[in-house]
Amino acid sequence: MKTKNYPWRYGWFLGMYYMANGIYQGYASKYFEATGMSTAMLSVILAFTPLISIFTQPLWGTVGDRAKSRNRVLGFLIVASAALVLLYCVSASFWWLLPMSILFSSVYTSIQPMGDSIVLEALSPENHAFGPLRMMGTISFALTNLVWGLILTPGRMNLVVYMTAIMLMMVLVSTRVLPPTEGHQSSTGRKMNMTAILKMKHMPGLLILLMLLQLTMGYFYSFFSIYFTSMPGGSSRLLGLCYFMSAMSEIPFLLNADRLFERLGVGKLLSIAAIALTLRWTILGTCHNVYAVMASQLLHGWGFIVMTVSMAKYVSATIPDELKASGQMLISVVGFGIARVFGILGGGLVADAMGSVQKGFLLMAIVAGVGLIAFVPRYLAMKPLNGKSEA
């Protein structure tokens, strides 16, 4: 890792994006709820966001890889997202908001992986670390949730739409700091698709483990707030503190992410995430003390962020240049699309089958434990999977 002439300016883009995402991801459901939607209607809208991304992200990945400028594709995604979110204001009808949210999600969910593909490629020639830049996104996301949690009272939920659009315009301005990056299929004329990534030696196993772990995160995202606020002593204020704690817990890993990736590789890092998540879900599934549950949020820093950053770096380091954008989209499809669809649509069935939301976390501990048992011995025995020396 090199620190001389470190491109901190790229962090402006990541900081602005995660600030916009903190507003929309954190409070869109509250906005829809404020329009008078029933729980069933809200569930349909929330389910379509990750579901549509499963189909649209591979398409945008291909567009990015074949475009003369990936930056222009990124700019289009941002502008289209800002315009579509403003269309929410036209009507509070479910039948208007449903198609608008689907259209919005079809472009918005591809901004982060497209941006990551540009930043990671820009860092690669000088071997600059990604962790410090991603940390800027973590901090802005955490602070945004704290600030807007105080501002967005029930009577002010319309601000969610306007502030998301404004912040997306700030994201657009911040893309000016990113270096011009071409889609390599445009320059080489070599046409490839995402299936080539799945044929790589270690990729199928890594993606299966990632999917297992992210499925458990999908359940957490869908049901933790309900579980926590129903506990004796649980409250919305403490819930906001939980999310702040989980975001800030990412910082120790991010400060050391690149060194850990080089030394351990993605396989061993996913193993660490599997251990952390198995322990985290076991605590949530068995503990009845609100402060112990809050303390378990600190394990977030060795679960979610470890998975996403290490896989992003591995894909960037190993896949052909012609698939740089598609590779990041594939991680997002597995980590965001499939996991969130399970969390929203399948999570309720899990909770019902287990008898309660809390017992559902025990099942998630079992799922993470299966990944732990099935894959960890294999990766511990391998040389570091870091794109340099692989078994």
Side-chain angles (χ1 to χ4, degrees), residues 25 40 69 72 143 207 209 231 246 252 346 352 364:
Q25 179 178 297
S69 170
R72 290 182 180 176
L143 293 177
L207 288 173
L209 178 55
M231 291 183 68
S246 64
D352 287 342
M364 295 305 103

Side-chain angles (χ1 to χ4, degrees), residues 9 226 281 337 361 368:
R9 61 190 181 278
I226 297 172
W281 307 145
F361 282 112

Side-chain angles (χ1 to χ4, degrees), residues 280-296:
R280 186 183 186 186
W281 307 145
T282 300
I283 293 172
L284 291 184
T286 58
C287 189
H288 298 281
N289 183 285
V290 68
Y291 296 106
V293 169
M294 291 179 69
S296 73

